[in-house]
């Protein structure tokens, strides 16, 4: 009897009543699922708090015409979509992800959008040691067993192996992805000879570039030559022949005076900063050398590449748009050569140490540059013992270091360098590598 009553009644109500009630709930539930937020007006942003922050922090967007349904609201900062966690009609809460780039805040609510104020992303930066024991020497081995002697420049191949121009060891070293340091070419003795691996001789190699095919090019400063290293470690001379001078021509007929920077263009040509000649040279794959930018007279004049002036141009880099950046070591500024050939001063003026915009910023012997995917330019500010960053508008900030020479890993403000001179930005990993003359190490800066 009890079982029969339970089958025919529920809480004292007839089963027909319960069935009707359940049907009504299901109908109402279905209607509720179909209900969507509809507002004929576009969202409005009245304020944002805070307007700068780092990964993991919240940003609150206040205004009107937002949707109470979280998924109806889409927020971008710059070109990155960021997750919304809370919403009502007048406010949104979003959380800043790692790797964000500064940019304007945009809110879209079901196809209607508006743009608000600029949000400045504060990256989390950590400086660590990557390779080198810190002791002067010429020794292969694991990352921290290896020894360098005033390492100067860096390059990376398509496999992620990193190469070091080990200046006073007169050699080119390789840091494999497995964490082993080996010698590609040179044997620690200064000289000038082509040959296989350690049979070759260099005299203060100071800059490197690797082509997409794995061929490496070396600015051999003391030999006034550009050398070429094939993947099987065969070293040949592409242009120049130890004699200092200033002459265009092919192969050994060309003359350089202290080549100090080198990049491979998308066309496969080389751009070389001819340090003591105060010009930028261009070299074809066949070794034909021409003067590409600068008059040869030291100066700081901007303008066309044929009429501009440089003073001791050093490290070069190229961004994704084809612009070339020149570390003007003697002019204490960073120059930009646009893809159309116009030369301008991106930042810097006189010797010193100051952040700021354009010419209000100051450097002290900027040795080299590196660019990220967004055309932000990093600068090894050698005798200020810091790494600087320049955004595309020419705003200069200090990325890491505190201007006091030393050796310390840690956060951006606590880290210390001693003579940072070479830079490499790994676009795939988003890491910046730094060579230090006086710490005889390669450091790694992680930016999140």
């Amino acid at each position: 009897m009890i079982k029969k009553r339970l089958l025919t009644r529920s809480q004292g109500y007839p089963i027909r009543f319960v069935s009707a009630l359940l049907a009504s709930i299901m109908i109402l539930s279905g209607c509720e699922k179909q209900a969507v937020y509809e507002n004929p007006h576009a969202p409005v942003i009245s304020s944002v708090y805070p307007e700068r922050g780092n990964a993991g922090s919240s940003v609150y967007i206040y205004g009107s015409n937002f949707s109470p349904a979280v998924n109806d609201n889409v927020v971008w900062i710059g070109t990155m979509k960021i997750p919304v966690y809370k919403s009502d009609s007048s406010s949104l809460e979003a959380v800043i992800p790692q790797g964000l780039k500064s940019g304007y805040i945009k809110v879209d609510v079901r196809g209607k959008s508006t743009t608000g104020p600029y949000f400045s992303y504060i990256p989390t930066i950590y400086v660590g040691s990557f390779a080198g024991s810190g002791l002067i020497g010429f020794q292969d081995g694991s990352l921290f067993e290896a020894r360098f002697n005033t390492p100067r420049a860096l390059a990376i191949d398509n496999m992620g192996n990193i190469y070091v121009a080990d200046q006073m060891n007169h050699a080119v070293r390789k840091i494999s992805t497995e964490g082993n340091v080996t010698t590609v070419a040179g044997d620690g003795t200064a000289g000038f000879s082509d040959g296989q691996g350690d049979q070759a001789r260099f005299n203060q190699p100071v800059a490197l570039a690797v082509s997409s095919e794995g061929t490496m090019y070396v600015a051999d400063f003391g030999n006034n030559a550009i050398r070429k290293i094939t993947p099987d470690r065969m070293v040949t001379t592409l242009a120049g022949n130890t004699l200092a001078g200033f002459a265009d021509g092919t192969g050994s007929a060309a003359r350089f005076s202290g080549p100090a920077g080198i990049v491979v263009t998308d066309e496969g040509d080389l751009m070389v900063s001819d340090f003591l000649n105060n010009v930028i040279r261009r070299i074809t794959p066949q070794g034909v050398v021409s003067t590409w930018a600068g008059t040869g007279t030291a100066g700081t004049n901007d303008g066309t590449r044929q009429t501009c002036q440089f003073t001791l141009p050093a490290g070069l880099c190229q961004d994704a748009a084809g612009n070339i950046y020149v570390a003007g070591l003697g002019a204490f500024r960073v120059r930009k050569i646009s893809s159309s050939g116009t030369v301008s001063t991106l930042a810097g003026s006189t010797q010193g140490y100051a952040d700021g915009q354009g010419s209000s910023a100051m450097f002290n012997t900027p040795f080299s540059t590196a660019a990220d995917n967004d055309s932000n330019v990093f600068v090894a500010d050698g005798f200020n013992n810091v790494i600087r960053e320049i955004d595309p508008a020419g705003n200069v900030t200090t990325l890491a270091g505190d201007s006091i020479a030393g050796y310390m890993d840690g956060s951006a403000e606590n880290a210390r360098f001693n003579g940072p001179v070479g830079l490499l930005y790994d676009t795939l990993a988003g890491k910046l590598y730094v060579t230090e003359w006086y710490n005889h190490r390669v450091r790694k800066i992680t930016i999140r």
Side-chain angles (χ1 to χ4, degrees):
M1 292 296 295
I2 294 176
K3 289 183 180 180
K4 183 176 181 182
R5 188 161 55 241
L6 287 174
L7 289 172
T8 57
R9 301 235 174 210
S10 176
Q11 300 293 330
Y13 295 103
I15 193 167
R16 284 177 297 173
F17 179 83
V18 174
S19 299
L21 181 62
L22 289 172
S24 299
I25 291 172
M26 290 176 68
I27 291 171
L28 290 173
S29 176
C31 292
E32 184 177 345
K33 286 182 180 178
Q34 293 173 7
V36 294
Y37 173 76
E38 294 291 348
N39 191 321
H41 304 292
V44 175
I45 299 175
S46 58
S47 64
V48 171
Y49 179 81
E51 291 189 6
R52 60 197 309 267
N54 51 19
S57 63
S58 291
V59 57
Y60 298 90
I61 304 169
Y62 300 102
S64 58
N65 301 325
F66 304 141
S67 173
V70 169
N71 292 338
D72 285 343
N73 306 282
V74 182
V75 173
W76 284 272
I77 295 181
T79 58
M80 181 178 287
K81 186 186 296 185
I82 65 174
V84 177
Y85 285 94
K86 293 181 181 179
S87 69
D88 57 38
S89 61
S90 60
S91 67
L92 303 173
E93 180 185 354
V95 176
I96 305 304
Q98 288 187 353
L100 183 74
K101 301 294 183 182
S102 299
Y104 289 96
I105 293 178
K106 178 183 175 182
V107 175
D108 183 288
V109 182
R110 295 186 59 80
K112 299 181 177 69
S113 62
T114 188
T115 300
Y118 192 84
F119 183 87
S120 297
Y121 178 67
I122 304 172
T124 301
I125 298 169
Y126 182 81
V127 179
S129 296
F130 179 67
S133 68
L135 300 174
I136 296 176
F138 185 34
Q139 178 176 307
D140 291 339
S142 64
L143 289 177
F144 301 116
E145 292 174 342
R147 295 186 183 185
F148 302 93
N149 189 352
T150 58
R152 173 66 182 269
L154 297 162
I156 190 168
D157 65 17
N158 288 336
M159 303 299 292
N161 300 299
I162 292 174
Y163 299 88
V164 183
D166 197 358
Q167 184 173 349
M168 298 313 295
N169 275 329
H170 312 290
V172 175
R173 318 286 292 280
K174 175 182 176 180
I175 305 173
S176 71
T177 55
E178 291 80 21
N180 296 311
V181 178
T182 56
T183 300
V184 176
D187 72 346
T189 304
F192 181 66
S193 62
D194 293 337
Q196 184 83 31
D198 60 6
Q199 300 302 308
R201 297 289 184 273
F202 301 90
N203 188 354
Q204 297 190 51
V206 298
L208 302 173
V210 182
S211 73
S212 57
E213 295 80 19
T215 299
M216 192 183 318
Y217 298 94
V218 183
D220 196 357
F221 185 87
N223 281 324
N224 302 299
I226 304 302
R227 315 292 291 280
K228 176 180 176 180
I229 308 176
T230 60
D232 63 357
R233 301 172 61 213
M234 177 59 70
V235 179
T236 55
T237 300
L238 179 67
N241 68 351
T242 76
L243 298 175
F246 185 19
D248 292 337
T250 302
S252 60
R255 296 287 184 274
F256 302 89
S257 189
I262 190 167
V263 293
V264 182
T265 69
D266 293 337
E267 295 78 21
D269 292 338
L270 301 178
M271 294 294 181
V272 176
S273 56
D274 199 354
F275 187 72
L276 295 174
N277 281 327
N278 300 306
V279 294
I280 308 299
R281 316 290 289 277
R282 185 171 193 146
I283 310 175
T284 69
Q286 295 74 35
V288 179
V289 179
S290 58
T291 300
W292 190 72
T295 63
T297 301
T300 58
N301 289 345
D302 292 332
T304 66
R305 61 183 178 84
Q306 294 89 352
T307 62
C308 70
Q309 296 174 322
F310 299 94
T311 300
L312 302 180
L316 302 178
C317 73
Q318 186 174 31
D319 67 13
N323 303 302
I324 292 175
Y325 300 90
V326 185
L329 192 148
F332 309 107
R333 61 194 70 198
V334 175
R335 314 287 290 282
K336 176 181 177 180
I337 308 175
S338 71
S339 55
S340 63
T342 301
V343 179
S344 59
T345 299
L346 182 63
S349 53
T350 57
Q351 184 178 16
Y353 179 36
D355 289 338
Q357 203 281 330
S359 60
S360 65
M362 291 190 288
F363 301 92
N364 188 357
T365 57
F367 276 88
S368 62
T369 57
D372 68 10
N373 292 326
D374 299 304
S375 295
N376 297 298
V377 178
F378 304 101
V379 183
D381 195 1
F383 295 153
N384 277 328
N385 298 300
V386 294
I387 307 302
R388 317 288 288 280
E389 181 177 0
I390 313 173
D391 71 15
N395 297 299
V396 179
T397 55
T398 298
L399 181 75
D402 67 356
S403 81
I404 299 174
Y407 169 62
M408 185 179 297
D409 291 337
S411 62
E413 60 274 14
N414 292 327
R416 288 188 176 172
F417 301 91
N418 196 352
V421 292
L423 290 177
L424 165 68
Y425 184 78
D426 183 347
T427 56
L428 295 178
K431 291 180 172 59
L432 185 66
Y433 296 88
V434 184
T435 53
E436 293 177 279
W437 256 354
Y438 306 122
N439 280 329
H440 309 287
R441 299 176 190 263
V442 180
R443 311 284 289 280
K444 179 172 68 176
I445 302 178
T446 302
I447 306 170
R448 295 191 177 94

